Amino acid sequence: MVSNQKKYTVYFYLVTLALAVPKILFTLRPEINLFTEEAQYWVWSQHLAWHYYSKPALVAVLNFLSTSLIGNTEIAIRINAILCGIGMAWVTYLFGTYLYSRKIGFWSALVLQSMPSWWLATTFHTTDSSLSFFWILSIYLAYRGIKEEKSFWWVYAGIATVFGLMTKYVMLLIFPVLLLYLLYTKKWKTHQANFLMFVLISALGFVPAFIWNWQNDFETLRHLLALTGAEGVSSKSFSITTTSKSFFEYLKGQLAIVSLFLVPAWLATFLHVYKNKSAALVYLILPGIIAFLFFGCLSFFKEAMVNWPAFAYTGFAIALARWMVAQSRLWKTISYGGIYLSIALPIIFILPDYTGIKSSETVRKREQMIVKRLLGHEQLAKRIDYLKDSLGISDEFFFSDSYHTASELSFYLSGNPQTYVLNMGSRKNQFNFWSGMEQFLGHQNTGVFVSWNYNTMENKAIFQSLIYEETFVSKFHDIPKRDVRIQVWSNLMEYKPALLSTY
């Protein structure tokens, strides 16, 4: 018979593995395609490099490994996010168990898996997927190093941070988090050498970025400067009204990303931490607080997406679980209800409509609006493949004004051809670092132009003659999506893309 505490380990694995199933079924829905960012990172995996223009390389490496094993399929890409989700829940369970008990470890993982931020990062394979995993892993290992005063835990934390930095540079926030905690607990002198060793090991995560940028005139630095308002991109003008509105939009987004159904429990948890101020609870909430404040300050000057700080909120889940298990039956009922609702709603939303609950046109239109960036790409590619066969096209190349569209086409077109981007005035992107359409000048190739935004190429590319054109409309449950223009041209004669002035 399973002991009272050991049963929570069984519960954890049963629930965590069960929650992977809806994500797999969602990915297998035929009408749901890759998110445009997912398609872009898949294209990167076809061009392995030390680093990429806007981000480190780990997301592409993971896609390369999974698609090498499973093939160029949607599940091969999203399995990375699903596994990261399982990993995040597992480390959260371990952390909660280490600090308190298996029961709290189980509830910590369940609170995490009820947060919308977890569903987003672990359903769609973006840089947030592996960032969130390596963040909580590093935080957990570093805490073991602090608590047990053993250097090898700091080494493990440094290695995890290396992988985090090869995912996204915001992983740098772990340095001020740990430094502030050591100062707060007056343990800096004890762990000074370990912390410096941790920083030096972590710095290895910058080596791939340095190599690529050394070879490419430090273009990533220019891109990061542009995001702060330099290098030809201006920050939004400062206005108390505008910036206050921007911050409050950010604040509302944070409440939603951690689940509105748990707001009473979150408020009570933070009040408990404020009154208690135990070292463990402070450690759990400090990463999230620092990330929240960092991006909150940024929101006064630039648009801050609501999901940006969410990678650091995992510790919140453990703090809430610790508070929750010690509460009265009423508070437990409120908290349990919030957790169950927060898990049930995403499952109902992403699962195929087995019951007909989503069959009304109103619901489907709402669903279409929410998942619009996941729709129509495969339908479009199938239409282009059909046109290629019916028109007898040969020696063709495919291009778009958007790197998102070009990425989706490369994934869904038969044979996964390399696609190209015709710059119509957009900022620099990774396609600018690969061979472009200029290679087809005067070679009697057939160019297929695909755009959701333009009806013509505005003389940015001039061909000898137009073979065929049409407006294609993809559908979601018979509900039309946006029009897309398809043009088939012969013989590229002039290539004059817009000059890149922004990063």
Side-chain angles (χ1 to χ4, degrees), residues 359-500:
S359 60
S360 74
E361 185 174 346
T362 301
V363 173
R364 285 182 170 173
K365 283 185 176 180
R366 181 65 177 173
E367 185 181 17
Q368 182 194 50
M369 185 177 69
I370 295 172
V371 299
K372 60 184 178 182
R373 293 181 68 181
L374 309 173
L375 302 176
H377 307 295
E378 187 173 16
Q379 291 181 39
L380 173 61
K382 286 182 176 179
R383 178 60 182 172
I384 294 172
D385 280 334
Y386 170 79
L387 291 175
K388 174 188 169 183
D389 291 338
S390 62
L391 295 173
I393 297 171
S394 60
D395 296 324
E396 72 283 350
F397 63 95
F398 305 92
F399 65 104
S400 175
D401 62 291
S402 163
Y403 66 87
H404 288 128
T405 302
S407 299
E408 296 280 5
L409 288 174
S410 183
F411 185 83
Y412 285 107
L413 283 170
S414 177
N416 305 118
Q418 174 63 52
T419 53
Y420 304 90
V421 173
L422 173 63
N423 195 295
M424 306 282 281
S426 61
R427 66 177 177 84
K428 186 174 285 190
N429 59 74
Q430 185 60 41
F431 278 85
N432 297 114
F433 296 87
W434 299 325
S435 297
M437 290 169 54
E438 64 276 359
Q439 65 185 292
F440 301 111
L441 281 166
H443 286 289
Q444 302 297 319
N445 294 87
T446 301
V448 182
F449 177 59
V450 183
S451 177
W452 302 88
N453 307 305
Y454 295 90
N455 288 322
T456 71
M457 291 175 283
E458 299 183 349
N459 292 323
K460 298 293 190 301
I462 298 175
F463 289 78
Q464 185 174 18
S465 61
L466 176 66
I467 298 174
Y468 178 83
E469 67 176 328
E470 73 173 35
T471 298
F472 177 74
V473 182
S474 62
K475 294 182 179 181
F476 175 67
H477 294 302
D478 296 324
I479 302 172
K481 196 175 177 287
R482 285 170 56 194
D483 296 351
V484 58
R485 196 69 172 167
I486 303 173
Q487 296 178 334
V488 182
W489 295 85
S490 66
N491 190 12
L492 177 63
M493 300 178 66
E494 293 184 43
Y495 179 61
K496 301 179 292 185
L499 296 176
L500 296 170

Side-chain angles (χ1 to χ4, degrees), residues 227-241:
L227 293 180
T228 65
E231 293 287 341
V233 179
S234 60
S235 299
K236 64 184 183 184
S237 58
F238 186 82
S239 160
I240 293 178
T241 303

